[in-house]
Every structure is written in structure tokens, then in C-alpha cells.
Amino acid sequence: MFTKRGICVVMITGFFVFCLTIFHLDENHEQNSLLSSIGIYDRYSSVRSKLSFRRQYTGSTQDSSCVVLFSAPQKCAGRTIYELVEYISNLTRSAVTRDSIMNIDSVWPPNVSAADIVPRIVRERVHTSQPLDFIYTHLSFVEFGNDSLSPSYVSIVRDPFERARSFYYFKRYGDTMQMTEDAKLWRQRMEKMNLSKDSYDDCVMSQRLECVGERSQFELIRHFCGYSEECYRKPETVLEIAKRNIENHYAIVGITEEFDDFLSCLEVLFPVHFNNASKFYNTETFKKIVYSTRTKIKLPASSATKNIMLPKLKYEYELYYFIKQRFYDFKEKILNEKRKIAPYRP
Ligand SMILES: *[C@@H]1O[C@H](CO)[C@@H](O)[C@H](O)[C@H]1NC(C)=O
Ligand SMILES: *[C@@H]1O[C@H](CO)[C@@H](O)[C@H](O)[C@H]1NC(C)=O
Ligand SMILES: *[C@@H]1O[C@H](CO)[C@@H](O)[C@H](O)[C@H]1NC(C)=O
Ligand SMILES: *[C@@H]1O[C@H](CO)[C@@H](O)[C@H](O)[C@H]1NC(C)=O
Ligand SMILES: *[C@@H]1O[C@H](CO)[C@@H](O)[C@H](O)[C@H]1NC(C)=O
């Protein structure tokens, strides 16, 4: 398939592109054998064929990218990943196209359930006529099936208690980032909710639903389960579906606590989107960008609060440890192999 593609490109655009294509051959070959060794060869090669299909379908001439659907729960450093993809694309002029799906309220018709509207919105964005290479969202899992245009799923999670605490303060105080349109809408929504200035401890101690209710107890398992009705039923079932979705669909799910290693893995799995990601991540310029996504105010939690919350977050932790174990397994294989692969050069 790649040889055929190579020949085509030569005929159309001549020697210069031919050289690039040859390079990509080797690149893809090494990439595929690595992925094969860690058992995700099939999904990656299907992404590759998807790509050429996508090119035909959209008339895009853009090469060497694939759609990454990066869907992470809030406050897990997902925004940092998104900013990094943009930063790398700016610096390397790789023209990786990216966008986020944040506020969907404006396109949400009244009386339509999330199960109906969200998959439709996500599918529209993935199958857009403007090819996108990277989509960032907090929306939950949406199944694409096996069609040739379906994306590669990537996500990141964080210790559930820490995430809940961070999210609580984020809702009140936001981050230090400049107010984008999305952020303004978010602020307005939060103000309407008349949030108190209580600490997270106060909130948990007074048993307020915001902190101890269903939503906060099942955030993670629902995220990876999706929008079907069964994702709002017994947590045991939701947890099982979430695990199955991760196994069957996700190229990788990182953990915030191992952010640097996650980046190294992404560099190997998606060498175009994450070209030299660790290097760029550690530059002073990028550190400043990251700083702006930190939650402004965040108070430590008491051990009494922890004692109340940890049992409530039982299913969240079970999924978190499942993801962590899977991440360690992948990481070991990917990083062991990494040294054998030449860095990606565009
Ligand atoms: C990337 O470039 C665009 C356009 O110049 C700019 O608005 C944006 O802030 C840049 N993003 C990053 C993360 O540097
Ligand atoms: C939405 O559903 C409620 C209750 O079923 C109904 O009273 C209301 O008129 C509906 N609104 C619209 C815009 O259809
Ligand atoms: C995708 O394809 C695999 C192998 O062909 C099959 O086992 C699986 O059920 C398919 N999944 C969907 C959602 O169609
Ligand atoms: C919002 O909260 C303040 C203080 O907590 C209270 O005085 C006020 O009545 C509340 N407003 C609404 C609409 O609930
Ligand atoms: C990526 O890093 C390698 C090794 O440090 C370097 O040779 C290459 O030029 C870098 N690529 C870009 C686009 O900066």
C-alpha cells in the first residue's frame, strides 16, 4: 500500500516529495513493528489506511497524520497536552490541525438527551470536511465502530480524590488563563449556580451533593462508559463497560502523576502530533503556558475529608488502578523500544 502511494506521489509531485515518501516508508515500518510488539499494530495500521482513505475522501494532500480523539475528564492536565500539540505544530510548522469541543450547550436542542446529541456532535467533528488531526474534549466516550474514518482514542486520568478536589476549586476560581470565549461561558454558568466560597472540606463535611453526590462519585467510570442508559445504572456495570471500552478502543490512557513518561509514549505512538514533545514541554516558553492552566486557589484537604471520600470513590479508584496498570505495561514496552527508533524528522 505504501509503495503504491509512493509511486503515485512521485508521478504527481516529483523528486522532492519522493524523498520524503521514502523516508516515511522506513518510519512507518519501524513504527509498525514497534506497535506490533506491544499488540496494537492492528489499530495503528488501520489508522494508516484510514488516512489514505481520508485523503481521498476529503481531497486533503496532508500526509503523515491521523485523527486523535483526546477525550479527558476535567483537571487531569488535558489542556496542557492540547496546548503542547498546538505549540509543537506552531514551531515545527507541521500543520497538525486541531480543535476542541468544549461548550456544546449552544448547539444542544431542548429536550434532546446527551445520548442523542453528543455522539452526533463528536462524529460531525471527526468526519468534518476540514481534516482535523487532533480533537480535544471533556465529553465522555463515543463509540465509532470500525469504519475507516474512526479516530484513535487517547486519554489521561488522575488520582480520583485529587481530581475531585481540584475540580471543586477550579469551578470557583478558574485558572490563570486569559478569558477565552469558552472560559467566559463557563464562568457565567458557574455564577448562575451561585457557588459558595466554602472550602472542599466544608462541602464534604456538610454532605453537599456537589461533593458527595452521584455525579462526583462516578465521574471517571461514566466518562469511559459513555452516554448509553446503562452508564447511569449500577456502578459495577458501568465500571465493567468502562474497562472494556478502554481495552477495546484506547491506544493509550496516561496518568497525570506520570506526565513525562506519558509524553514520551505519545511521542512514539503519534510521532507527528508529538514530535519532540518532551523537549518542547521542558522549554521555558512552554512552562509559562502550562502555568496559566493551573487552578488559581486550591486548599489542602483534611484527613477527615479523605476518610469520607475514599470509600465513596471506590469504583473510581478501581478504574484508576486498572488504567495505571495498563499504562505501566504499555510504558515499559514502548520506552524499551523507543531507543531503537530514530527520532521523527519531518
Ligand atoms: C500558535 O500560533 C497561533 C497563531 O500564531 C497563536 O495564536 C497561538 O497562541 C500559538 N499557540 C501556542 C501554544 O504557542
Ligand atoms: C420539553 O419537555 C417538557 C416535558 O416533557 C415539555 O413540557 C416541554 O414543552 C418540552 N419543551 C420543548 C421545547 O419541546
Ligand atoms: C470491529 O472489528 C473486529 C474485528 O474485525 C470485531 O471483532 C469487532 O466486533 C468490531 N467492532 C465493531 C464495533 O464493529
Ligand atoms: C446565593 O448565595 C448567597 C450567599 O451564599 C445567598 O445570600 C443568595 O440568596 C443566593 N442566591 C440564590 C439565587 O440562591
Ligand atoms: C527533534 O529532536 C532531535 C534530537 O534532539 C533533533 O535532531 C530534531 O531536529 C528535532 N526536531 C525538531 C523539529 O525540532
Side-chain angles (χ1 to χ4, degrees):
M1 185 199 86
F2 290 117
T3 318
K4 216 191 269 171
R5 189 176 95 202
I7 292 167
C8 264
V9 171
V10 172
M11 279 162 43
I12 298 161
T13 48
F15 186 68
F16 176 66
V17 181
F18 174 69
C19 294
L20 284 177
T21 309
I22 290 293
F23 183 78
H24 277 285
L25 287 183
D26 287 334
E27 173 76 22
N28 289 334
H29 177 73
E30 288 183 68
Q31 199 67 29
N32 282 341
S33 52
L34 165 65
L35 293 165
S36 167
S37 76
I38 60 173
I40 53 178
Y41 173 81
D42 284 337
R43 75 166 298 105
Y44 196 83
S45 71
S46 81
V47 165
R48 287 281 167 196
S49 55
K50 230 174 276 165
L51 250 189
S52 51
F53 183 82
R54 214 157 85 95
R55 262 194 306 278
Q56 283 169 15
Y57 184 75
T58 60
S60 163
T61 52
Q62 195 173 316
D63 199 2
S64 62
S65 60
C66 53
V67 190
V68 174
L69 181 58
F70 179 59
S71 158
Q74 303 217 46
K75 304 320 291 172
C76 296
R79 167 64 60 174
T80 302
I81 300 267
Y82 181 61
E83 297 286 339
L84 186 59
V85 169
E86 180 170 308
Y87 186 70
I88 293 171
S89 172
N90 278 0
L91 283 180
T92 63
R93 301 178 196 283
S94 68
V96 166
T97 53
R98 69 261 156 205
D99 199 1
S100 57
I101 308 178
M102 287 297 151
N103 280 290
I104 61 170
D105 294 5
S106 60
V107 290
W108 196 324
N111 287 3
V112 171
S113 71
D116 289 330
I117 190 76
V118 175
R120 208 177 77 202
I121 291 170
V122 176
R123 287 199 185 98
E124 272 167 13
R125 296 299 280 280
V126 170
H127 294 170
T128 174
S129 57
Q130 295 291 316
L132 281 173
D133 305 305
F134 192 90
I135 296 171
Y136 169 52
T137 183
H138 297 309
L139 295 172
S140 301
F141 175 74
V142 169
E143 183 154 3
F144 277 82
N146 282 343
D147 67 282
S148 53
L149 287 172
S150 63
S152 290
Y153 298 77
V154 175
S155 189
I156 184 170
V157 297
R158 175 179 184 182
D159 177 276
F161 179 78
E162 287 308 315
R163 198 203 70 82
R165 184 172 67 95
S166 187
F167 188 45
Y168 178 85
Y169 288 108
F170 174 68
K171 279 190 277 187
R172 281 155 182 77
Y173 305 105
D175 52 32
T176 48
M177 197 159 56
Q178 268 195 340
M179 282 285 203
T180 59
E181 278 311 305
D182 272 356
K184 275 185 202 147
L185 283 170
W186 164 260
R187 238 6 311 141
Q188 283 165 12
R189 234 168 65 193
M190 288 301 115
E191 273 156 21
K192 267 195 217 136
M193 287 169 66
N194 200 16
L195 299 167
S196 74
K197 295 267 191 286
D198 288 354
S199 69
Y200 184 62
D201 282 347
D202 294 333
C203 180
V204 171
M205 288 305 167
S206 55
Q207 303 271 314
R208 290 223 323 269
L209 283 185
E210 180 192 352
C211 295
V212 301
E214 254 197 19
R215 216 180 143 181
S216 63
Q217 284 185 54
F218 305 135
E219 170 81 20
L220 210 55
I221 57 175
R222 283 181 182 169
H223 180 90
F224 289 97
C225 182
Y227 291 97
S228 67
E229 238 176 75
E230 42 188 1
C231 296
Y232 291 84
R233 296 218 187 112
K234 278 197 343 210
E236 290 85 356
T237 314
V238 183
L239 174 66
E240 283 320 305
I241 298 172
K243 284 182 179 174
R244 203 168 64 216
N245 285 341
I246 290 169
E247 281 296 1
N248 292 344
H249 296 283
Y250 283 77
I252 191 165
V253 183
I255 53 175
T256 312
E257 292 79 6
E258 306 240 354
F259 196 78
D260 289 1
D261 282 348
F262 181 45
L263 277 189
S264 302
C265 293
L266 289 173
E267 265 180 65
V268 178
L269 295 177
F270 302 102
V272 180
H273 305 67
F274 293 96
N275 184 15
N276 283 347
S278 306
K279 201 176 88 184
F280 289 129
Y281 175 67
N282 285 306
T283 58
E284 282 308 309
T285 324
F286 189 71
K287 288 264 144 108
K288 282 196 194 118
I289 298 175
V290 174
Y291 183 74
S292 70
T293 67
R294 291 270 150 86
T295 299
K296 262 192 206 157
I297 298 174
K298 200 163 66 177
L299 304 175
S302 71
S303 53
T305 300
K306 263 195 150 167
N307 290 342
I308 294 177
M309 287 312 292
L310 292 192
K312 289 188 192 298
L313 296 172
K314 175 179 137 192
Y315 297 102
E316 300 285 89
Y317 272 100
E318 193 172 334
L319 188 64
Y320 173 71
Y321 291 130
F322 170 84
I323 289 170
K324 198 168 173 177
Q325 186 56 52
R326 186 174 181 261
F327 175 68
Y328 282 147
D329 292 347
F330 272 43
K331 176 178 114 172
E332 197 186 341
K333 288 170 190 156
I334 292 173
L335 299 187
N336 274 346
E337 291 285 332
K338 191 182 173 184
R339 280 160 228 107
K340 298 180 195 162
I341 298 180
Y344 173 75
R345 274 152 285 153

